[in-house]
Amino acid sequence: MDGPLREEKRARPEARKAPIFPSTGPSGHRQRMRWRVLQRGASSLADYEILEMLLFPGVPRRDTKPLAKALLNHFGSLAAVLGASEDALRAAGVGPANCKLLGLVPSIADRMGTPDSVCRTDIGSWDNLLAYCDTHYAGLPAGSLRVLFLDSRNQLLEDEAVPADGLTAESARGQMVSPALEKAQQDSPVRQAVAGILQRALALHASALITVRLAEPSFTPDRQMAADSLFVQALLKNAPLLTVELHDHLVLQNGAWRSFRLVGQDW
């Protein structure tokens, strides 16, 4: 019979070749979920759907939705599922491979929440130390006293100013000190400054120190070294008691420098 009905019957087999869904099995469902994540982000997924996707690798040919919902019912929340022990997950029906995978998620989250390692300045050579001083101290006022706190690899933890009260060039000229005067200086600004530096070193877990003085214009570097002698000696005496090493005391002035350690002055 040649009519519209005949033409319609001929068209039906062609229509059946294009199903509504590419797949009705688990693989099609997984493909659609992946598409959602790619198009809308993981925030578009419900908790059970996130858990479904986490279970995909360990359950390659089976729908993971029933297990995901059962786990949420059993443990109460997604966080509780991810924080559960391997034994608890196995008892709830999770296979060995997925137990290992789910156990990785909290560790990954902790790692992502940890700040990246800080890239610290290496002060382990004279060239590095002097280059650092040239770069960072060019604009500081004369008379400034800095302390570099270093770790066990001579990498810079902090660079901080030492309060100038009582530690200026005029207040300590490195003269011979009598025992009575030395005892009287126990409460002096020098002692207080040393105590503050060492307390800060403990707080930073510093292994070593370098102190740097920018010499006064009216002082030669050598005279400035003599003026700082009491301060340096107090650090040398007390730092080892806290397992902190004083590497050196440096005096800088207009590109010239002096080192207590190299000069050997009371070191």
Side-chain angles (χ1 to χ4, degrees), residues 53-156:
M53 296 194 74
L54 290 175
L55 294 171
F56 282 172
V59 188
R61 296 182 181 86
R62 190 158 45 89
D63 187 4
T64 58
K65 184 185 296 184
L67 178 57
K69 290 185 174 181
L71 290 174
L72 289 174
N73 287 337
H74 180 77
F75 290 100
S77 68
L78 177 60
V81 174
L82 297 178
S85 66
E86 183 173 346
D87 290 341
L89 291 172
R90 293 288 295 272
V94 180
N98 272 331
C99 284
K100 299 294 185 184
L101 179 61
L102 294 179
L104 284 175
V105 176
S107 300
I108 295 171
D110 289 343
R111 182 69 60 87
M112 292 181 67
T114 302
D116 294 337
S117 298
V118 178
C119 183
R120 293 172 176 159
T121 304
D122 180 20
I123 310 290
S125 69
W126 276 108
D127 288 343
N128 290 352
L129 174 59
L130 295 175
Y132 177 87
C133 293
D134 288 342
T135 301
H136 291 81
Y137 297 159
L140 295 182
S144 298
L145 180 61
R146 310 290 302 189
V147 55
L148 306 179
F149 298 93
L150 310 178
D151 63 15
S152 59
R153 294 181 294 177
N154 290 328
Q155 293 181 330
L156 183 64

Side-chain angles (χ1 to χ4, degrees), residues 5 21 33 44-46 70 72 89 97 110 116 145-146 154 157 168 186 198 200 210 219 228 232:
L5 292 179
F21 298 107
M33 291 188 67
S44 66
L45 301 179
L72 289 174
L89 291 172
D110 289 343
D116 294 337
L145 180 61
R146 310 290 302 189
N154 290 328
L157 296 172
T168 61
Q186 290 181 356
L198 296 181
R200 186 66 176 141
I210 296 175
F219 274 34
D228 288 340
V232 176

Side-chain angles (χ1 to χ4, degrees), residues 147 149 157-160 193-206 209 242 244:
V147 55
F149 298 93
L157 296 172
E158 290 290 344
D159 173 0
E160 298 180 356
V194 169
I197 291 172
L198 296 181
Q199 288 173 5
R200 186 66 176 141
L202 286 178
L204 294 171
H205 303 288
L209 308 171
L242 301 179
V244 177

